[in-house]
Amino acid sequence: MFKKLIPQSSWLVYDDNPVMREKNEDLTFPLNEMDIEVISKMLSYVDASYEGLDKKYKIRPGIGIAANQLGYKKKIIYIRLDNSTDGKECRYLLANPKIIKTSVSNSYLSSGEGCLSVEKDHKGYSIRKSIVFVKAIDVFTQKEIEIKGEGLLSMCLQHEIDHTNNLFYYDRINKEEPFKTEKDWESI
């Protein structure tokens, strides 16, 4: 159903584009032609990054993408990464993802976050929850699933779900103290 395409940096929409702050709609099934086209682009882009082909295709590497990063205002995210907690490959194509439960503890990426749709570097830590539970529809199977995200997967799920809610990682950086942490926060 989904096509393997040659990824293009021209597909990306950046944070200065108003579409990135506009309300996104739920994805409905069956998928229409535009849904399939956009999802094919999402898969092709992140899979090329995962497979180390970003330099070959002259694209910015990424481990996740949301449909609105391609200018498509539907709640779809795609993540492909090796999880930091167990090293296993995680590959999720999710529709209408919602965080339903979180840990009390916080965490942050020690290197800071980046984003395919943000060209200007924003210094500081995006403070997130250490563990998240996400409910969504797995687009591959079209069945509802629940995912427990820890480590890098937790960070990535929160980052991409933020996109479906029109937020960027830099919206979570403390403006007065961008590198503020607390001793019980986990550095990933």
Side-chain angles (χ1 to χ4, degrees):
M1 173 186 340
F2 302 116
K3 298 172 266 179
K4 188 152 180 92
L5 306 169
I6 295 173
Q8 308 287 318
S9 58
S10 62
W11 293 345
L12 297 176
V13 171
Y14 294 96
D15 58 344
D16 60 351
N17 188 315
V19 74
M20 295 299 293
R21 298 286 188 175
E22 293 174 6
K23 185 174 169 58
N24 293 293
E25 301 171 14
D26 282 347
L27 181 68
T28 57
F29 294 89
L31 300 176
N32 65 41
E33 284 183 41
M34 187 57 110
D35 296 335
I36 292 168
E37 181 69 23
V38 170
I39 291 169
S40 294
K41 288 179 177 181
M42 293 169 69
L43 294 170
S44 296
Y45 195 102
V46 174
D47 287 349
S49 295
Y50 184 83
E51 294 161 8
L53 301 173
D54 49 291
K55 286 183 180 43
K56 175 182 178 179
Y57 294 121
K58 298 180 177 131
I59 59 172
R60 294 175 67 192
I63 58 176
I65 196 166
N68 65 343
Q69 291 180 270
L70 301 177
Y72 197 57
K73 298 188 307 183
K74 292 207 179 168
K75 295 179 182 178
I76 314 165
I77 65 172
Y78 179 54
I79 294 170
R80 188 169 182 194
L81 56 84
D82 292 330
N83 196 12
S84 56
T85 56
D86 59 14
K88 290 183 182 173
E89 180 185 351
C90 298
R91 187 172 187 248
Y92 294 108
L93 178 60
L94 305 176
N96 315 325
K98 289 184 176 73
I99 296 172
I100 56 170
K101 190 165 91 174
T102 68
S103 62
V104 175
S105 58
N106 290 326
S107 57
Y108 59 94
L109 289 177
S110 59
S111 61
E113 289 187 31
C115 180
L116 294 172
S117 291
V118 178
E119 291 183 294
K120 180 181 173 241
D121 190 24
H122 293 265
K123 303 280 186 208
Y125 297 134
S126 301
I127 307 307
R128 301 192 180 276
K129 295 299 180 184
S130 298
I131 301 171
V132 293
F133 292 85
V134 173
K135 188 179 277 191
I137 298 169
D138 178 329
V139 177
F140 294 125
T141 64
Q142 296 186 13
K143 293 188 168 126
E144 189 172 83
I145 61 170
E146 192 173 304
I147 302 163
K148 178 183 181 185
E150 299 178 78
L152 184 58
L153 177 59
S154 174
M155 300 283 111
C156 194
L157 283 164
Q158 291 172 82
H159 179 109
E160 299 308 330
I161 291 171
D162 271 357
H163 280 307
T164 69
N165 295 310
N166 312 110
L167 296 171
F168 289 96
Y169 75 91
Y170 55 76
D171 295 326
R172 295 190 177 276
I173 295 174
N174 182 323
K175 304 301 180 235
E176 287 78 42
E177 296 180 77
F179 292 97
K180 180 185 184 322
T181 62
E182 295 186 15
K183 62 182 175 185
D184 61 335
W185 292 358
E186 180 184 4
S187 172
I188 295 173

